[in-house]
Amino acid sequence: KAGVTQTPRYLIKTRGQQVTLSCSPISGHRSVSWYQQTPGQGLQFLFEYFSETQRNKGNFPGRFSGRQFSNSRSEMNVSTLELGDSALYLCASSYYRGTEAFFGQGTRLTVV
Amino acid sequence: QQQVKQSPQSLIVQKGGISIINCAYENTAFDYFPWYQQFPGKGPALLIAIRPDVSEKKEGRFTISFNKSAKQFSLHIMDSQPGDSATYFCAASKSEYGNKLVFGAGTILRVKS
């Protein structure tokens, strides 16, 4: 069974640009959550999607947004990139809300 | 009230020894406590998880001990091996909030051979 797939693995963007990251959950999993990992702040929850609806949102500015498609695949978008947005962005999928969450390998975003 | 405090920040253990990592939480509404293992360049991998209705859960060399009254839980790695060298994260969540995991700061474990 394939795991959580995140694309791309690495990205370099310029300040002010926007970026879209993609996540394909484990087959059959319906919940997708996104996290930001940085050395200073650790792992922080961004948002959770289930049945194409955002169910939860962390304390991040509105520049961070996401969506989920009918096949459970999810994308997150960051607009007007800032240097501080440089991080590893992780996607986790679970069968249902509140069940075991499995992470992908992440997308390493560098903003220059 | 959303914090999960993890200690120690780093840990060095001899091969064959026991590694112990501790976490404390404040929000009594939390009802799911997983541990994740992360190697450099990889995403966190779920190791073991516990819910408050049991005080201990064991899977292979990994054991979670849970103390509801003290609001603490810990990970014990028995017979630690060099391949266990990684960063370990505890986390907590409230089921009705879905998969909004609150993570500890992480513990860097090094097992010396």
Side-chain angles (χ1 to χ4, degrees):
Chain A
K1 201 173 190 181
V4 178
T5 303
Q6 292 188 245
T7 56
R9 290 292 313 279
Y10 303 92
L11 265 178
I12 300 176
K13 289 287 188 179
T14 303
R15 212 168 29 166
Q17 287 186 313
Q18 77 165 24
V19 67
T20 299
L21 313 181
S22 180
C23 172
S24 293
I26 293 170
S27 178
H29 283 196
R30 298 162 60 192
S31 172
V32 173
S33 302
W34 289 89
Y35 292 81
Q36 181 196 64
Q37 185 175 26
T38 60
Q41 299 298 316
L43 279 151
Q44 293 188 288
F45 173 80
L46 278 158
F47 27 65
E48 178 197 8
Y49 285 87
F50 181 80
S51 292
E52 302 176 64
T53 303
Q54 187 180 92
R55 304 292 178 153
N56 249 317
K57 191 177 192 311
N59 293 326
F60 281 83
R63 300 185 297 106
F64 292 81
S65 63
R67 58 177 176 168
Q68 186 181 33
F69 303 96
S70 59
N71 61 358
S72 295
R73 192 177 68 84
S74 178
E75 289 181 345
M76 69 163 280
N77 184 276
V78 188
S79 62
T80 320
L81 284 165
E82 301 177 358
L83 295 178
D85 296 333
S86 295
L88 180 67
Y89 289 88
L90 292 157
C91 167
S93 81
S94 60
Y95 176 72
Y96 198 77
R97 302 190 69 213
T99 58
E100 295 174 327
F102 299 90
F103 283 84
Q105 295 210 62
T107 294
R108 172 74 61 185
L109 172 65
T110 302
V111 182
V112 296
Chain B
Q1 266 216 323
Q2 290 297 314
Q3 277 191 319
V4 175
K5 295 182 180 179
Q6 184 172 345
S7 62
Q9 193 171 12
S10 63
L11 182 61
I12 300 175
V13 173
Q14 290 289 338
K15 179 181 175 182
I18 303 173
S19 304
I20 302 174
I21 304 170
N22 301 298
C23 284
Y25 63 97
E26 295 183 359
N27 189 344
T28 55
F30 286 149
D31 59 4
Y32 176 66
F33 304 89
W35 284 89
Y36 286 86
Q37 176 192 58
Q38 186 176 30
F39 293 104
K42 304 289 186 181
L46 179 63
L47 262 181
I48 186 172
I50 198 168
R51 295 195 183 270
D53 51 345
V54 296
S55 60
E56 187 174 281
K57 183 175 180 179
K58 183 177 180 180
E59 288 185 3
R61 296 185 294 110
F62 301 93
T63 299
I64 298 180
S65 297
F66 184 81
N67 186 328
K68 188 174 181 179
S69 60
K71 294 186 286 185
Q72 295 176 346
F73 58 109
S74 60
L75 176 70
H76 292 62
I77 306 174
M78 313 300 286
D79 187 27
S80 297
Q81 299 296 313
D84 296 331
S85 298
T87 301
Y88 292 80
F89 294 93
C90 63
S93 69
K94 182 178 174 182
S95 292
E96 69 179 86
Y97 288 166
N99 288 336
K100 183 179 179 180
L101 291 166
V102 178
F103 281 89
T107 296
I108 301 172
L109 171 64
R110 181 183 161 207
V111 181
K112 294 173 67 175
S113 55

